[in-house]
Amino acid sequence: MARLDETASGVFTIAVTPFLPDGALDLDSIDRMVDFYVEKGASGLTILGIMGEAGKLSFEESATVIRRVVARTALPVVVGVSAPGLAQIASLAALAMDAGAAGVMVAPPWTLKTDGQIVSYYHDIAGALGETPFVLQDFPLVTNVVVPVGAILQIVKDCPTCVMLKHEDWPGLDKITALRNASDAGARRISILCGNGGLFLPEEMRRGADGAMTGFAYPEMMAQVVAAHEAGESDRAHDLFDAYLPIVRYESQPGLGLAVRKHILAARGAIAHDTVRKPGNPLSAASLADLALLTGRLDRRLAELG
Amino acid sequence: MARLDETASGVFTIAVTPFLPDGALDLDSIDRMVDFYVEKGASGLTILGIMGEAGKLSFEESATVIRRVVARTALPVVVGVSAPGLAQIASLAALAMDAGAAGVMVAPPWTLKTDGQIVSYYHDIAGALGETPFVLQDFPLVTNVVVPVGAILQIVKDCPTCVMLKHEDWPGLDKITALRNASDAGARRISILCGNGGLFLPEEMRRGADGAMTGFAYPEMMAQVVAAHEAGESDRAHDLFDAYLPIVRYESQPGLGLAVRKHILAARGAIAHDTVRKPGNPLSAASLADLALLTGRLDRRLAELG
Amino acid sequence: MARLDETASGVFTIAVTPFLPDGALDLDSIDRMVDFYVEKGASGLTILGIMGEAGKLSFEESATVIRRVVARTALPVVVGVSAPGLAQIASLAALAMDAGAAGVMVAPPWTLKTDGQIVSYYHDIAGALGETPFVLQDFPLVTNVVVPVGAILQIVKDCPTCVMLKHEDWPGLDKITALRNASDAGARRISILCGNGGLFLPEEMRRGADGAMTGFAYPEMMAQVVAAHEAGESDRAHDLFDAYLPIVRYESQPGLGLAVRKHILAARGAIAHDTVRKPGNPLSAASLADLALLTGRLDRRLAELG
Amino acid sequence: MARLDETASGVFTIAVTPFLPDGALDLDSIDRMVDFYVEKGASGLTILGIMGEAGKLSFEESATVIRRVVARTALPVVVGVSAPGLAQIASLAALAMDAGAAGVMVAPPWTLKTDGQIVSYYHDIAGALGETPFVLQDFPLVTNVVVPVGAILQIVKDCPTCVMLKHEDWPGLDKITALRNASDAGARRISILCGNGGLFLPEEMRRGADGAMTGFAYPEMMAQVVAAHEAGESDRAHDLFDAYLPIVRYESQPGLGLAVRKHILAARGAIAHDTVRKPGNPLSAASLADLALLTGRLDRRLAELG
């Protein structure tokens, strides 16, 4: 399979990991989910990310998920390999690339504090990964690590295998602008795909992002917004985005968001069950009622927009 | 002035602190802003909160702001008095109550870790404040302190002067439900006003909140949503909310949000200047362009809604 | 092999993981190190802890270390199995127990905030581990999780397989007292072995600890202090302790301490190389000079003490 | 009074703030304590630091303490002015300098994350302080802010009024070495006084520190260690240090250390009461017994050393 490179764009959906009601891996749902994402306009898939409950899988289960997903699609697959140490990261990355993945994604561990520690960590990562292309995941809300623009540019300069930024700093619009100004001024231009559940997607595209890498349960919205932006139809992009925004917002609740996402995906038939592995938060009856109201309103609004 | 009590409801706007372009307090704008908030439907005001740049004022400036605001309005005024130590909190609270404030608000210091430490801290607060009613500000995203339901209920039980929760845990909808279940089962029922810029206001009202305490630059939206909810017009509440949601979302960006809010308030004539004191983030040209687009779209959407 | 239970006492040395200069596992040094610890008075061993660089090993390497250590000694071996998720923890624990370990150790993940979250986490751990006895590692300086006495007692009450506390809260002397008061009053009494490099060992013993679980490079000091305490020779315990204290202190430097420990162990012949895996901090020339001075002074002081 | 400059050296004792048993300021004890510190060899005093319970004083109380201390001694007095905002810092600093202080000390607020944010914060500080010389307090264990060497050097370069580093990073010996290497290579050489209760004082002096700025309850130990170092008597320095080390260590317990320090100071007659303001931790009976044992052993060891 082709390796990930700086030209990646569009929507890389962050895939959930489907489980059976007893918590075991649901392999059939993996296939169904991959087909669903492809059908809804994904240009790539990212698996075993934070929202893929990667930390809750054993090494063997991670291997099973990687192989199943890669076997099901010709789209590029990025594999989250964040782990406490380099040895674990390197061995999971090797397994992923052998299975046919396009690249891997690495978030900084929460213990990093200074700019120098962050840059040094990614030097070590690049060394441990060898030729494998990697995505730098910049997600301070979850990792507790703030990665300044200067550190990203240093990593991009020092590590040719860093080909993409998964951007979910928040607020982060001016960070995209700063990175694009830097590449306009001669820095290597890497792909920037944005996360945060798509909460700022229209604005991110205007700042120079290449698309989204996030798992909002309606990937077609993201694909359509990206397409409308590329076509110069800004109002169309915003109209679509605004229709889904109440649900984007609801899904963006930390901790709870994954259960929301899985619930919607199950309701849409993309996976069989909305099971979240422990430790995790099932949805309360009141939250389910919220979602029923919000999805009903979405249908009506989409009908209005035609 | 009447003291704050458990029956408080509606919209308590978190007031900004207006500055002149050179950073000095803008007293005329304080008056104008208070009038604006009242006109847009506020049922109370909260000053010197985090978004009021309280930490950037000297003690004398804080005193000036309190006296100016309280003199301008008959609405109840809550004064944020969070400080590193009890002595500072007690002396600012005494000044505020002497000036005619209705109560004070206290957020937990970031050094608190365990449930017991949190409860003990509010015991100390209640002791230091004497008869002054206080609002417990629950805002983990900024304070780094997670306050569990059990700790809130313990504080409510032990401290009769704790009359309100400023709720901005996130996600926090089920927390409201749990607190209301507890008061239905016999715990003292305190007022719950919600923050987070209003990002979940319709859902929060359905869970049993009494209104909003936040500073979204269009307070009329919050007043109308609360009113529609009280009138049982859920769809109307959501329609209004959804129209403003793209801006609510944009204003909710941590760090940047205050500059957005001040920019809109200045554009609406509520204050003369959008100056943010150092350290603070002015808006970039691209962010200003985002806002121009979003406010234009808001006007059109409101026209559609009639 | 016998399972770990509440009666465990003495010195469980936290073993380092020896590496060759190129970073590969040094299996011969594992044997030598185990012999060294036994010879110096260890009553048990703890492997794959934080100071065992557990996070830097691949799953296969962890398995190799476990099997090699367990095969070399009849002493009880506790295996650190902390990992981001339950599935990983359960699978490593199963491997360890199958290999003949006496129990496992689990530290709380840094994302836990409230008392309830901590208790709930260990409920999940106990469920995932089944009959395997486990050690609760309470080490806020590294984990960022403060575990109050009440939460520990709740876990002890709810989870019969929690048989030991690795105590390294700091300051934590009154915590030991509170736990012993609780067991005197009827709570199940678990073993308490203390960490923090031994920095408070004499005082901890007086508070009711059962010994030490830490990796200070001179385990004989800890064994002798524990023995002197048991014999009621308090002054003797302190004299011995004080002689080593300048080095205990030097080794207690976060981040740097592991390199200090490995350097001394290598100098003492317990392991062949002082290699620390990346990311890690080698000792500077000035630090090596500090150690030469301190170990020279130790030799003279021990000679004085006779 | 002379202003603090880069040549400051020796022992600047961090003064406690003495309280009466009811929590009010104990002004007589302030005088007695200042005399005690001078008599025991202090070359300067630092007041209103973290261990001076600065956060627990009202603005008026802080002013009283500053004036009382400065009036009592001709030694240079450094005043801690850390506060949530620049306006508060500037107004307290102005008051301190008007009263005759030699300079002020500022720790970074816990919200700073990146190198750039830290440097920018001290730019703002230097601007707000004008000509007032200031001490950069580098104390990650308490502030949660890690300040890399590069950021310190940038601040030293950009801000001529930054004349001293209060060094209490931990581990931080190699940081002193790096800073001294930089000043040997041409960077402006500022004073480095070390904190951490003196726990690494002999080693810090060898790395190029100019002395200590900390509040260990036996300031004469620090003065003697610094003097022995200056006289080239390394063994004498270590012998003295080692005698006190068990108490240095006991006093270094976070949270508890202040109560230990005040207890010893009261026992030595330096202050009348060992009162710690709320929120604070009084010493347990078991801790008092520990201290009785340790101080008894100290007396015997000092007698042995002659």
Side-chain angles (χ1 to χ4, degrees), chain A residues 141 170-171 173-174 199-200 203 206-207 234-235 238-239 241-242 245-246 249-250 252-254 284 286-287 290 293-294 297 300-301, chain B residues 141 170-171 173-174 199-200 203 206-207 234-235 238-239 241-242 245-246 249-250 252-254 284 286-287 290 293-294 297 300-301:
Chain A
L141 186 66
W170 175 57
L173 295 173
D174 288 339
L199 197 58
F200 294 92
E203 288 87 356
R206 283 203 296 276
R207 298 299 181 101
S234 172
D235 263 322
H238 273 279
D239 285 345
F241 176 77
D242 289 358
L245 180 53
R249 165 201 65 122
Y250 204 88
S252 73
Q253 298 176 80
S284 65
S287 295
D290 286 340
L293 185 153
L294 293 173
R297 287 181 56 83
R300 293 201 295 281
R301 183 67 185 145
Chain B
L141 185 66
W170 175 58
L173 295 173
D174 288 340
L199 196 59
F200 294 92
E203 287 88 357
R206 283 204 297 275
R207 299 296 181 104
S234 172
D235 263 323
H238 273 279
D239 285 345
F241 176 77
D242 289 358
L245 181 52
R249 165 200 64 123
Y250 204 87
S252 73
Q253 298 176 79
S284 65
S287 295
D290 285 339
L293 184 154
L294 293 174
R297 286 181 56 84
R300 292 201 296 280
R301 182 68 184 143

